[in-house]
Amino acid sequence: MVAQELESQQQQQQPPKKGSASLHSHEGPGLNILVGKAREVIQQAIVDPVTYLANWGRLYSLWPVHLETACCSIEWGAVSGPRFDAERYGILEAFGSLRQCDLVVVHGTVTRKMAPRLRFIYDQMPEPKWVIAMGACSISGGVYFDSYNVLPGVDQVIPVDVYVPGCPPRPEELIDAFILLQDKIRNSNIKKTS
Amino acid sequence: MSSGSSPELPKAEKGIIDAIGKLGEKAKLIYAKPNRIKFSVQRDDLVEVARFIRDELHFDHATNVTGTDFPKDGQLEITYHLGSHDGGEELRRIILAISCRIPSNDPKLPTLVNEYPSVLYHERETAEMIGCVFEGHPNLGRLLLPEDWTDIPPMLKAFRLPGRLEGE
Ligand code: SF4
């Protein structure tokens, strides 16, 4: 009986018609995820509604600093542009004051001379703040790892939340990093500052 | 590469070599190829040779200044690359290099800022990268290195990255 059912299901699925079978197979896991998310949200909202609300407000209004240190910033341009459009996820490049920003995306190579400035920028931003290290250079020095003038990893000067490897990373990877960061913010405790 | 003026050299290059030949011992030809000529001079004759090249040969600007470390000889070589803007079509394609070897333990060279004002920043960079002191230069302060740099100049062969590379 089961085998017959399976067979009939396969037969139904094979022709790529707009039939009910293909729609149904797409709907199943989607619904599960939806139910899981809803449970998560309800649990968090009931257990600690203040934290939930604050995190919800923070995670969809991330304002990155406009700080372009190296060639990775080209990909950042693509991410903020209309094709990949990070604004969909609530990441809006802000050109105002550092006091309004809460995210530093380190675009690649940071030289020894730039390092104190980077720290200075980080210190000027109000809490809470997050850091994404983008590109091999900002993670480990990348191709310049044995240069006298390049910092081997920005985590020597500022705490990093998400690392995005690549040289340069694809825009999709960066968007993935944003989503990871939003996950982190969603599950973080507001009383403990980063 | 210590060939003299080889037969296939264009006329302009030959003219330059002949003209500098008038200086005699002061300028020694190292190589001559189409578009590229290199002379070496002594430290004391550098300014004089540079003035001669500027006034007589119409090489009116310096494109860059480089430094090379020769630890086996205990010497640094500072090279000025000179070019010409208004010397005519023939001269415009030629790069004339004049190099000067100085001992590593006494790295001093008279500045060429008065002859070629465009070396102002190049000499400053060379000074901090290789440790050569250009005497008479108006400002040899920090340019590219971090303000807190305390190590030896990074382009010297003796320079080692702290904690990265073990000895050679
Ligand atoms: S990781 Fe690659 S693309 Fe990014 S800054 Fe370094 S060299 Fe440039």
Side-chain angles (χ1 to χ4, degrees):
Chain A
M1 280 290 285
V2 179
Q4 274 178 3
E5 268 180 15
L6 268 179
E7 260 179 28
S8 63
Q9 266 186 5
Q10 276 170 2
Q11 276 168 5
Q12 276 180 348
Q13 277 174 0
Q14 267 164 7
K17 277 187 255 163
K18 282 191 256 170
S20 59
S22 60
L23 249 182
H24 189 77
S25 69
H26 188 249
E27 218 171 46
L31 204 67
N32 277 346
I33 291 174
L34 211 68
V35 170
K37 286 270 173 208
R39 195 168 55 204
E40 224 172 72
V41 166
I42 291 166
Q43 266 179 357
Q44 281 182 347
I46 288 173
V47 171
D48 194 350
V50 180
T51 306
Y52 175 75
L53 268 181
N55 283 343
W56 178 80
R58 281 168 185 172
L59 77 98
Y60 294 122
S61 62
L62 289 170
W63 284 29
V65 179
H66 190 71
L67 169 81
E68 309 202 331
T69 53
C71 27
C72 272
S73 55
I74 308 290
E75 294 302 305
W76 172 256
V79 171
S80 344
R83 184 163 173 191
F84 294 98
D85 198 10
E87 224 178 298
R88 288 179 294 164
Y89 303 97
I91 315 280
L92 180 59
E93 182 130 359
F95 299 97
S97 161
L98 288 176
R99 317 250 178 241
Q100 300 165 345
C101 296
D102 48 12
L103 172 65
V104 192
V105 182
V106 186
H107 300 157
T109 326
V110 175
T111 56
R112 283 259 334 263
K113 201 166 179 171
M114 187 69 192
R117 277 99 178 156
L118 181 63
R119 179 74 217 192
F120 191 48
I121 285 170
Y122 182 79
D123 285 344
Q124 285 185 65
M125 289 160 51
E127 297 273 356
K129 49 199 171 185
W130 297 276
V131 179
I132 292 179
M134 177 184 181
C137 288
S138 61
I139 295 175
S140 66
V143 281
Y144 315 109
F145 77 101
D146 56 355
S147 162
Y148 64 91
N149 207 20
V150 171
L151 204 68
V154 287
D155 41 13
Q156 295 192 348
V157 285
I158 51 177
V160 178
D161 292 289
V162 183
Y163 295 87
V164 194
C167 179
R170 291 277 310 158
E172 293 92 332
E173 289 180 54
L174 200 58
I175 287 175
D176 194 33
F178 292 150
I179 292 171
L180 268 177
L181 182 65
Q182 287 178 338
D183 255 356
K184 179 173 178 173
I185 297 170
R186 188 181 288 119
N187 294 316
S188 64
N189 189 348
I190 47 165
K191 281 169 210 143
K192 196 177 132 241
T193 47
S194 61
Chain B
M1 268 307 204
S2 59
S3 64
S5 44
S6 53
E8 73 269 24
L9 270 187
K11 223 160 102 194
E13 277 86 338
K14 274 189 205 151
I16 291 168
I17 292 167
D18 290 343
I20 296 186
K22 282 188 219 146
L23 290 172
E25 284 295 295
K26 282 179 185 164
K28 203 166 109 247
L29 183 66
I30 294 184
Y31 61 72
K33 299 181 262 191
N35 300 349
R36 295 276 190 285
I37 304 172
K38 185 176 178 185
F39 282 95
S40 89
V41 299
Q42 290 302 312
R43 169 154 62 179
D44 302 333
D45 306 327
L46 179 68
V47 175
E48 192 192 330
V49 172
R51 258 186 212 146
F52 175 82
I53 291 173
R54 182 192 61 181
D55 296 339
E56 310 284 324
L57 300 180
H58 308 290
F59 278 84
D60 48 17
H61 69 282
T63 49
N64 61 31
V65 181
T66 57
T68 320
D69 186 16
F70 292 94
K72 280 183 193 144
D73 308 345
Q75 284 176 329
L76 304 176
E77 185 178 278
I78 309 294
T79 311
Y80 291 83
H81 298 261
L82 309 176
S84 175
H85 281 315
D86 48 8
E89 273 302 312
E90 279 293 281
L91 285 190
R92 224 171 277 164
R93 61 183 168 79
I94 299 176
I95 292 175
L96 177 60
I98 53 177
S99 70
C100 184
R101 290 253 185 158
I102 51 177
S104 296
N105 51 15
D106 180 30
K108 285 188 192 133
L109 202 63
T111 176
L112 285 192
V113 167
N114 301 324
E115 283 70 35
Y116 293 105
S118 63
V119 298
L120 189 74
Y121 276 84
H122 298 303
E123 282 189 347
R124 209 168 141 187
E125 185 190 351
T126 311
E128 78 173 349
M129 288 297 169
I130 203 104
C132 171
V133 179
F134 292 92
E135 286 172 319
H137 192 285
N139 179 10
L140 279 184
R142 273 266 178 276
L143 181 61
L144 300 174
L145 287 182
E147 296 84 351
D148 56 340
W149 185 267
T150 50
D151 217 334
I152 61 172
M155 292 294 154
L156 291 177
K157 303 270 192 214
F159 177 77
R160 287 283 173 273
L161 271 177
R164 285 272 171 171
L165 300 175
E166 293 307 311
E168 212 173 9

